Amino acid sequence: MDTPSPVGTPTTDGTQADRDRPEPEAYETVVDITEAGADADGEESIVSTLEDIDTSNTLVRFPKGTYFMDDTWGPKGAERLGLYGPEATITTVEEFTGPLFSLGTDGAVADLFVGGFTFDLTPEDTGPRPINGRVTDRMRIDNVTVRGEMDIDQDGMRFDVVEKDGHGVVWNLRMPDGGDPEYKNTGCYVGESHVGELRFQNCRFDGFPDNGLYASPAKGRVNVVGGQYRNSGVANIRVSGPSTVRGVVVRCDEARDGVENMRGIRLRGGSDVVVENSRLVFDTVTSSDGAITCAEWLEAATIRNTHITVNADDVPAIWAKPPSGNRSNVRDHPIQIQSVRIDGSASSGAAVRISERSDTLLSDLCICQHGDGRDGIAVSGADGTTVRGSAITVSGQPLATGERSVRRDNLSLESTASSSSSCSCPKNR
């Protein structure tokens, strides 16, 4: 007979009914942490109580209350471990860097569930890493919230799936208060030891100086599905291939000193990277080299069915930067930009920049930007670029190609200085 899953049954759309409610029958032992002696009033540390629990095949329940931790708790040899506290708040001490829950870092755990906790980091000089989770397979981090700005020198969450066939899901992780720009900290990190598959679904990361979701060192697949990402520096979402970013909302509308280069989605390296069905809005930034950027180390990517609004001057909606090596042989058109709408009042620069990326394909684009001196698509140092089935209305040059030859097919191009000019894009695009 199959062993019950520790959490609710997945639905066909990738969501999960009652997913933050674990099934006790999936575990050999269920422990109420207060019955084990933990203080639920937040006055005495619970670390020693946790250390006394045999965590193998165990669900530890945290009843409603406040739980104080003054040190790292890292169970050794745990397998099938669940931590459940839907009304539990974790507090800590000043200047402690953590992690608080160190799960599998001494040897990856199999079958990890953490659900429902709130980490209260609102006091000054607090901001330890709340959870460091390292699994071989079956990780679920569900419905976890971090309250308060992280204002010490420490990154936020870290998750790794360290076996190629392993899977993990981080669902509804909320970190809306970000980090103090004095410290270059990250909201969530997926590290070099990640080689499996990890999905971030319906998460929120706001206002981190050094990346909101930082997943580009990962060798395995990282899929980002839905969620909101706002006002982080370096990148709000940063991935390398193979990865997918689907259905996310990225917004930059607050420029704080010390939060530099506010990119939306940074495609850092590798291939087989897809961005689709997403919405990006850039109103105010300290600086930014693009709402979506293809970094020098990226070999191939597809950006499609996405709407980008740029009101911040001299910020491209998409910039494919010069590759660091020779031309990619992954496919005929390494960079493909398809069915993308770009609008907004940004002036100067270009909506799309293609720099030394030969054989780029741009199709079914709608670009309407009327800020002063704004070009549509700017191509430099790239041969074999194809632009087809697109409508471009800008104040500058619709296609700024210099000496480069660009293949053109079925284009509507208009240059106008009037901000009230109508857009020639189809209404349904």
Side-chain angles (χ1 to χ4, degrees), residues 345-365:
S345 62
S347 65
S348 66
V352 177
R353 295 180 62 183
I354 307 299
S355 303
E356 300 177 30
R357 291 280 184 170
S358 294
D359 298 318
T360 294
L361 172 64
L362 305 102
S363 64
D364 299 305
L365 305 190

Side-chain angles (χ1 to χ4, degrees), residues 182-418:
E182 180 181 351
Y183 307 102
K184 299 302 181 184
N185 51 21
T186 295
C188 185
Y189 183 70
V190 183
E192 299 85 346
S193 61
H194 172 69
V195 296
E197 183 170 343
L198 186 57
R199 183 173 81 242
F200 290 84
Q201 186 160 348
N202 298 337
C203 295
R204 179 174 176 180
F205 297 94
D206 291 12
F208 286 93
D210 188 15
N211 296 280
L213 175 57
Y214 186 170
S216 65
K219 298 182 178 74
R221 178 173 290 275
V222 177
N223 297 320
V224 187
V225 183
Q228 298 187 42
Y229 298 79
R230 304 186 181 204
N231 294 319
S232 289
V234 183
N236 282 269
I237 299 171
R238 173 172 168 166
V239 296
S240 290
S243 294
T244 298
V245 180
R246 177 183 299 116
V248 301
V249 175
V250 180
R251 183 180 294 274
C252 287
D253 55 13
E254 181 183 3
R256 294 191 295 160
D257 290 342
V259 180
E260 301 172 353
N261 204 353
M262 299 171 69
R263 301 179 184 99
I265 302 170
R266 187 184 187 199
L267 310 181
R268 174 61 168 68
S271 60
D272 189 22
V273 187
V274 176
V275 177
E276 62 184 0
N277 302 328
S278 294
R279 181 75 171 101
L280 295 87
V281 180
F282 271 57
D283 289 329
T284 304
V285 296
T286 51
S287 62
S288 175
D289 59 23
I292 300 176
T293 63
C294 301
E296 296 90 327
W297 307 274
L298 182 74
E299 294 183 58
T302 300
I303 303 167
R304 63 191 177 207
N305 300 324
T306 289
H307 183 185
I308 307 171
T309 298
V310 182
N311 297 315
D313 294 342
D314 201 25
V315 174
I318 299 172
W319 184 10
K321 297 183 177 182
S324 62
N326 295 327
R327 176 189 179 278
S328 172
N329 293 315
V330 172
R331 60 186 182 186
D332 290 341
H333 301 289
I335 303 296
Q336 299 181 13
I337 304 170
Q338 305 168 337
S339 299
V340 172
R341 181 184 181 100
I342 299 170
D343 55 23
S345 62
S347 65
S348 66
V352 177
R353 295 180 62 183
I354 307 299
S355 303
E356 300 177 30
R357 291 280 184 170
S358 294
D359 298 318
T360 294
L361 172 64
L362 305 102
S363 64
D364 299 305
L365 305 190
C366 166
I367 301 175
C368 291
Q369 293 207 292
H370 299 293
D372 293 341
R374 186 70 164 181
D375 292 335
I377 299 172
V379 179
S380 61
D383 296 318
T385 301
T386 298
V387 184
R388 68 188 183 203
S390 299
I392 305 173
T393 303
V394 292
S395 61
Q397 299 181 65
L399 280 178
T401 61
E403 303 269 332
R404 296 290 167 176
S405 175
V406 173
R407 300 187 186 99
R408 312 180 186 199
D409 180 35
N410 189 25
L411 301 181
S412 172
L413 306 178
E414 184 177 1
S415 177
T416 173
S418 172

Side-chain angles (χ1 to χ4, degrees), residues 130-147:
I131 303 172
N132 191 345
R134 187 173 185 270
V135 304
T136 56
D137 192 14
R138 301 185 306 279
M139 175 168 61
R140 291 196 180 277
I141 310 296
D142 286 3
N143 229 12
V144 171
T145 298
V146 178
R147 290 196 346 238

